Every structure is written in structure tokens, then in C-alpha cells.
Amino acid sequence: MELLAPVGGPEQLKAAIHFGADAVYLAGDRFGLRQNAGGFAPDELARACALAHEHGVAVHVAANVLMHEDDLGGTAEGMPLEAYLAQVAEAGADAVIAGDLGTIAVARRVAPALEVHASTQLSCANHEAARVLYELGCSRVVLARELSVAEIARLRQQAPADLELEAFAHGAMCMAVSGRCLISSHLNARSANRGACTQPCRWTYTLEEEQRPGIHFPIVEDARGTSILSSKDLMMLDHLDDLARAGVGSIKIEGRAKGAYYVATVVNAYRQALDGADPQGLLGELDAVSHRPYHTGFYYGAPDQTDANREYRQVKLLVGFVNGGDATAGTVDFTLRNRVTAGQELEVLSPGQPVRRFTCGRLYNLDQEAYVSTGNRNGERYRIEAPFPIGAGDILRRACEPHEVR
């Protein structure tokens, strides 16, 4: 199966490529459902496509907001959809992820060489819907997240044979069907369907009886309230064979708003599992990044949401990305992201390799000034001695302290 990684910016793109993604999905400067993830300006998008293609990685561009009339006609701020999709095709993208029927039609008309993938926003949950999307020109459908493995297998048997199926395998889930939620619009006047979700489903809620104002009751047995609307995170690392047998051709990692450390760690784990490593030995890697409790979504029945699940968990923290090293001198040059102190155990995350460990010794800046601790000088470059070669793009990390979970 294809491993499809989320990319919110250039740093995440480099991490996805380095750690083994087959394809990435990202957004330009318009029409993406993750406004807080930034996006790629036209010249940046062309550079991103060139870099990805240089490494044999495909680029899918999300244009999956709910399109309004102004988006089509050009009275909205910025260029209209037709011009934007033509620009995406010119930048060298391989596919556009379309969130509504109008976007599919426009893409087929103005950029016929660009593959069209039907977004999960279209809630494709049966073979007849898949067939209609195929007939409209979609080469792939991103399946509704509410399907079971068995339902996917039945859909695959009856859908057009050359229609590709993509399914989410990891990451945050939404409490609304296929992510089409109105809570953010109602509470904050920021539309989730236009890319501006404020994630109010993650907030804490209590129950109030109208005759007893001010008396709040937790909806579950938890003194701190509840986040009953907040879904657990999806994790299918140890069930990839089931998805493959059901006919899924591409597994998708959610997380365009996530940082490069998240992308690198999760992509690395799924890459190794797809390449034949024992997934049971990789499960701990998925605890190394910030997440809510994991579950298998709807793939094996209704999700279990019974425990308090609003708290994020994380056991490892990014120290820095390696810029390069001198194997002869045994030193590594890295850019600091979180403080590190001499004597701490460091872990090295390298593509396709088991995690390697060593004890941090004295640190040096590029002027050869020595430090016992970096402090919080994020963005500065340091050198450190290492007992084995570490490649550019690899990751240094350490144990995460409770107050650092985010």
C-alpha cells in the first residue's frame, strides 16, 4: 500500500521524504481545510513538487473546503478556483483532493492532466457513490472514516476495478460525520468546513439542569469534567494487513497541522511496518509523539469512547534535527528545538533502523564554546559527540517530562 503523509510546510515535507513516505498531501495558499497549517505559496508549491519528485514522492494538493459561489467566480479575496487549479497543475502536482462536486468538475475542465481524488468530506461509504465519483472523473476516493474493514472489502468488490481506495490509518478523528462539523461555526464564527476549525470538541463540557443553574455535572465520572465530544486518535499500525486484504491501496496519516517531529516519527513507524517489520515492536514509537489515547476507529465496530480522553500523552521530546556530521571526528551538528543537558540519554531516529541511544556529553556551539546545557536557545546550532554515524535529516530526542507534553 502507498504510505501517504501529511505536510504542513517545507520542514514537514523534508521529514516525510526522509523517513519514507511514498506520497504527501499538502495545501496551497487557498482552499485547504487546515488554515492553521499555513500552506504553500505558488513558488513554494512548485519547489515542493520538484523536491518530492526528485525523491520519487507524489504530491497531492488539498482543495477540500466547501466551495461557495464567490470561490468559483472570483469575487472572494484571491484568485478563483479555476485559476488556482490551473496553477496547481502548472506547479507539477500529481493530484488534487476535491471536497465537493463543483471542485471535481472544475478540475476536470481546467486541469485534465491532474488526477482528482474525492476527499473524505464527500462521505463515500458505498460502491454506488464510488461509481458516481469515478464516472465524474475521480481516479481515487478517500473513504468515509465511518466504514468498517468488512464494509470496505464489500465496496472494493463492487466498485470500478481501476478506482483507487484511500483510507485513514492514523491520527486525529472528528466527532462529526466525515469531519463536516458546525460547532466551531456556532461557538466561534469560524467554519470547520472552510478550514478554520477551532476544535471546540476538545474542550471540557459539563451537564446543567435548567432548574439548577450554576450546578454542573460531569457527563462521565471525572472531577475535571469531560470531553465527550472529543474522539480518540486512530491507530492501525498493527492492522495494516486487514486494510490491504480489504482492498485499500493507500493508507493516510492525518496531521497537516502537526510538526515535523510528528510526521517523521509516525511515517517511520508505518514505513517499517509496511516493509515487513513486526508492528508490535513499533507501537512504542507512536507513544513518542503527542496524541490522545489510540483506538481503531470504526474499522472493527463502534469506537470505544468510554474513558476520559482529552489529555494528550507523549513519552519522547524532539531535541533537534541533524544537519550533518563528521564521521571521522565523531561529531554531529544539529539545530536545537528543545533544551538538552549533558548526562541525559539521547535517542537517534533514523529511517528504517532501530532506535539508537547514547549519553549526551558536553555541547558546543559553532564557535566551539562549550555548554553543559543548551537552555532554551531554540533554533541555534550545536555540535555533540556521538559514538556512531548519524545522517542529515535524522532526529535527536530525549525523554519527555510531564510538563512538556503538548
Side-chain angles (χ1 to χ4, degrees), residues 119-172:
S119 169
T120 192
Q121 299 292 115
L122 283 161
S123 302
C124 182
N126 63 77
H127 74 274
E128 291 288 4
R131 185 178 301 279
V132 169
L133 292 168
Y134 175 77
E135 291 170 351
L136 289 173
C138 294
S139 61
R140 175 184 296 192
V141 294
V142 186
L143 296 169
R145 304 187 201 193
E146 296 75 28
L147 291 178
S148 68
V149 169
E151 288 175 314
I152 293 174
R154 289 165 56 196
L155 186 156
R156 173 71 283 172
Q157 290 173 357
Q158 300 181 75
D162 57 342
L163 176 66
E164 299 173 355
L165 300 185
E166 177 182 308
F168 281 91
H170 191 92

Side-chain angles (χ1 to χ4, degrees), residues 32-257:
L33 270 179
R34 294 290 183 272
Q35 288 183 8
N36 61 337
F40 290 76
D43 58 334
E44 294 173 329
L45 180 59
R47 288 196 296 270
C49 290
L51 177 64
H53 292 162
E54 182 183 333
H55 292 85
V57 174
V59 177
H60 307 168
V61 177
N64 53 348
V65 301
L66 180 62
M67 297 291 174
H68 286 200
E69 198 64 36
D70 284 351
D71 296 317
L72 302 181
T75 56
E77 183 180 348
M79 66 174 60
L81 180 62
E82 281 195 4
Y84 174 76
L85 291 178
Q87 190 179 76
V88 167
E90 185 178 353
D94 299 280
V96 62
I97 305 170
D100 72 2
L101 300 181
T103 306
I104 295 172
V106 173
R108 298 308 302 142
R109 183 170 69 248
V110 305
L114 196 63
E115 287 189 20
V116 180
H117 298 173
S119 169
T120 192
Q121 299 292 115
L122 283 161
S123 302
C124 182
N126 63 77
H127 74 274
E128 291 288 4
R131 185 178 301 279
V132 169
L133 292 168
Y134 175 77
E135 291 170 351
L136 289 173
C138 294
S139 61
R140 175 184 296 192
V141 294
V142 186
L143 296 169
R145 304 187 201 193
E146 296 75 28
L147 291 178
S148 68
V149 169
E151 288 175 314
I152 293 174
R154 289 165 56 196
L155 186 156
R156 173 71 283 172
Q157 290 173 357
Q158 300 181 75
D162 57 342
L163 176 66
E164 299 173 355
L165 300 185
E166 177 182 308
F168 281 91
H170 191 92
M173 298 281 280
C174 183
M175 52 78 64
V177 173
S178 296
R180 295 179 301 189
C181 182
L182 299 176
I183 300 177
S184 182
S185 296
H186 176 69
L187 294 180
N188 293 320
R190 291 178 56 184
S191 172
N193 301 307
R194 298 281 291 171
C197 183
T198 56
Q199 295 194 322
C201 59
R202 312 297 189 222
W203 302 348
T204 299
Y205 293 88
T206 57
L207 183 66
E208 181 179 292
E209 202 279 320
E210 65 178 10
Q211 299 300 320
R212 295 168 176 79
I215 301 176
H216 293 170
F217 303 91
I219 300 175
V220 295
E221 300 268 346
D222 187 331
R224 296 164 296 179
T226 181
S227 51
I228 195 169
L229 301 178
S230 180
S231 173
K232 296 179 183 179
D233 283 0
L234 178 66
M235 194 277 286
M236 288 289 286
L237 183 69
D238 49 348
H239 300 285
L240 297 182
D241 286 347
D242 286 351
L243 293 177
R245 281 190 291 267
V248 172
S250 175
I251 56 169
K252 188 171 199 168
I253 297 169
E254 184 278 337
R256 277 200 295 121

Side-chain angles (χ1 to χ4, degrees), residues 5-21 23-26 40 44-53 55 57-59 258-260 263:
V7 165
E11 189 176 54
Q12 292 93 324
L13 175 62
K14 292 176 183 177
I17 293 171
H18 184 66
F19 284 93
V24 298
Y25 67 103
L26 48 81
F40 290 76
E44 294 173 329
L45 180 59
R47 288 196 296 270
C49 290
L51 177 64
H53 292 162
H55 292 85
V57 174
V59 177
K258 298 285 191 178
V263 173

Side-chain angles (χ1 to χ4, degrees), residues 171-379:
M173 298 281 280
C174 183
M175 52 78 64
V177 173
S178 296
R180 295 179 301 189
C181 182
L182 299 176
I183 300 177
S184 182
S185 296
H186 176 69
L187 294 180
N188 293 320
R190 291 178 56 184
S191 172
N193 301 307
R194 298 281 291 171
C197 183
T198 56
Q199 295 194 322
C201 59
R202 312 297 189 222
W203 302 348
T204 299
Y205 293 88
T206 57
L207 183 66
E208 181 179 292
E209 202 279 320
E210 65 178 10
Q211 299 300 320
R212 295 168 176 79
I215 301 176
H216 293 170
F217 303 91
I219 300 175
V220 295
E221 300 268 346
D222 187 331
R224 296 164 296 179
T226 181
S227 51
I228 195 169
L229 301 178
S230 180
S231 173
K232 296 179 183 179
D233 283 0
L234 178 66
M235 194 277 286
M236 288 289 286
L237 183 69
D238 49 348
H239 300 285
L240 297 182
D241 286 347
D242 286 351
L243 293 177
R245 281 190 291 267
V248 172
S250 175
I251 56 169
K252 188 171 199 168
I253 297 169
E254 184 278 337
R256 277 200 295 121
K258 298 285 191 178
Y261 171 58
Y262 178 95
V263 173
T265 304
V266 177
V267 167
N268 191 47
Y270 277 83
R271 176 76 275 154
Q272 291 187 60
L274 287 171
D275 289 346
D278 181 5
Q280 293 299 314
L282 297 167
L283 294 177
E285 279 300 293
L286 302 180
D287 288 329
V289 295
S290 179
H291 66 283
R292 288 184 296 278
Y294 289 128
H295 71 151
T296 54
F298 289 86
Y299 284 125
Y300 301 102
D304 173 18
Q305 296 292 120
T306 55
D307 65 343
N309 55 64
R310 68 185 170 281
E311 291 186 352
Y312 284 83
R313 306 172 182 182
Q314 182 176 359
V315 299
K316 302 295 179 182
L317 191 70
L318 172 67
V319 167
F321 281 92
V322 174
N323 302 308
D326 186 335
T328 303
T331 60
V332 173
D333 173 353
F334 69 96
T335 300
L336 183 72
R337 288 304 175 84
N338 289 286
R339 64 172 177 80
V340 62
T341 302
Q344 288 183 316
E345 183 181 69
L346 295 184
E347 294 186 347
V348 180
L349 192 67
S350 303
Q353 297 186 42
V355 173
R356 296 173 290 170
R357 298 174 175 84
F358 68 98
T359 300
C360 176
R362 191 174 293 274
L363 300 125
Y364 300 87
N365 65 15
L366 297 190
D367 294 325
Q368 294 303 311
E369 296 174 317
Y371 292 85
V372 173
S373 175
T374 61
N376 294 316
R377 300 180 183 89
N378 291 355

